[in-house]
Amino acid sequence: MACAYSSILPKFDASLAKKHPMRRRLVAGNWKMNKGYREARALFDYLNDTARDMPAEVDVMIAPPALYLSSFAKESTKKIEVGAQDVSQRREAEGAYTGEISASILNSAGVHYAIVGHSERRSYHGEDDELIREKIRACIDAGLAPVYCCGEQLEDRDSDRHFDVVRKQLDTALKDFTALELQKLIVAYEPVWAIGTGKTASPGQAQEMHAYIRKVIGERFDTDFAAAVRILYGGSCKPGNAAEIFSGEDVDGGLIGGASLKGEDFVAIIKAGL
Ligand code: PGA
């Protein structure tokens, strides 16, 4: 059954795409569990060295393994911000929670973003949107910007349930917040079937879902707030497809996995964000 919403959307036309003036582009690199210290340092140095060539209009964030966060946050140029790949759901700043890193500890180390609800955390660590809501709450309490990941599995898309799945994720994760509390919220739409698979959502599929996410946020809060929320695309985004994907009216940049591990590729994607 075709989704009713997709039939009322205008056909995707990149040449007509216009961005909301309040939304700055953001290209974020999720390094995942990659790079020993020397390699990580070399990539970080490369990015710092090329920061001056990156477009002023595009914000840049990297999320290296947690061990490197504090030193990278201290040493990065203003252009490159540093974010955590995950955060504890504990709202306490400190406590007896072995292995956890609180949002407050991240903030104290100069880290101002945390990715929450990445599909790999969902599938390998059993995270669900109830837990992810607590992580968003912990970020907000500590002044971090949560990068909230949502997205459907392949079988959801194949059975035309992708809009419903994403709506349910958003409804659960954003329940009980006010728009004021969510001023720093960033959403990343990451269709699970596109993460690390080389398959990418088409620019039309990405734009369609981003518009839908904005609509859901508008219904839950208000349309002015929804218009200002940045929504990133993630899933096999590369130098060769980034510009086209980013050209969607509601696509405000990307959350990049594999291609953020090569300096030249990541910088090319940042440039495509212009
Ligand atoms: P990918 O990962 O770019 O390697 O597909 C994206 C992500 O997991 O954020």
Side-chain angles (χ1 to χ4, degrees):
M1 196 181 71
C3 172
Y5 186 73
S6 58
S7 62
I8 58 164
L9 275 172
K11 271 228 159 348
F12 176 72
D13 179 352
S15 66
L16 297 176
K18 285 208 175 51
K19 305 284 179 185
H20 187 284
M22 273 176 64
R23 297 199 307 263
R24 282 180 62 80
R25 302 284 187 95
L26 170 64
V27 175
N30 175 8
W31 292 11
K32 308 190 181 182
M33 195 178 74
N34 287 295
K35 305 234 176 252
Y37 183 71
R38 269 163 186 263
E39 279 183 35
R41 164 60 53 181
L43 177 54
F44 176 69
D45 289 346
Y46 174 83
L47 295 174
N48 264 342
D49 290 348
T50 45
R52 76 186 86 81
D53 303 329
M54 296 175 188
E57 296 83 351
V58 182
D59 292 340
V60 177
M61 186 266 269
I62 53 169
L67 197 56
Y68 313 141
L69 285 170
S70 153
S71 61
F72 286 6
K74 271 197 210 85
E75 295 168 43
S76 66
T77 60
K78 257 177 97 183
K79 179 77 189 162
I80 298 165
E81 295 197 84
V82 174
Q85 296 176 18
D86 184 33
V87 63
S88 173
Q89 72 272 24
R90 301 284 166 193
R91 287 175 78 177
E92 303 96 309
E94 301 178 350
Y97 301 106
T98 302
E100 294 287 275
I101 304 177
S102 71
S104 165
I105 290 175
L106 288 171
N107 197 13
S108 75
V111 176
H112 302 306
Y113 296 79
I115 299 170
V116 293
H118 190 278
S119 72
E120 287 148 17
R121 300 290 316 170
R122 292 174 188 260
S123 55
Y124 303 137
H125 299 270
E127 295 194 8
D128 61 13
D129 282 285
E130 305 276 346
L131 177 83
I132 294 160
R133 181 168 72 228
E134 291 175 37
K135 294 192 173 196
I136 295 175
R137 173 67 67 196
C139 286
I140 289 164
D141 286 356
L144 301 194
V147 181
Y148 168 67
C149 302
C150 57
E152 79 284 357
Q153 305 276 345
L154 185 59
E155 57 268 29
D156 301 323
R157 182 161 282 270
D158 285 347
S159 55
D160 251 331
R161 283 185 288 119
H162 44 300
F163 291 111
D164 293 343
V165 166
V166 171
R167 174 185 282 276
K168 189 150 179 286
Q169 290 174 332
L170 290 164
D171 279 347
T172 310
L174 304 184
K175 200 171 121 199
D176 300 336
F177 290 106
T178 64
L180 196 62
E181 289 173 317
L182 293 175
Q183 290 304 305
K184 291 186 176 170
L185 174 74
I186 295 161
V187 176
Y189 168 56
E190 300 209 305
V192 180
W193 47 271
I195 296 178
T197 58
K199 285 187 199 150
T200 320
S202 69
Q205 285 172 325
Q207 165 54 25
E208 184 183 49
M209 183 60 90
H210 282 228
Y212 181 74
I213 290 170
R214 206 177 294 291
K215 174 178 173 283
V216 171
I217 293 174
E219 286 165 6
R220 171 163 282 277
F221 302 99
D222 62 70
T223 47
D224 283 350
F225 170 67
V229 171
R230 291 190 282 185
I231 307 177
L232 312 181
Y233 170 80
S236 299
C237 196
K238 299 195 165 48
N241 59 25
E244 214 193 343
I245 293 172
F246 295 169
S247 67
E249 182 179 347
D250 291 288
V251 182
D252 303 309
L255 180 55
I256 317 302
S260 73
L261 298 173
K262 287 196 205 110
E264 292 83 359
D265 286 0
F266 189 53
V267 172
I269 294 171
I270 293 164
K271 290 183 175 163
L274 194 57

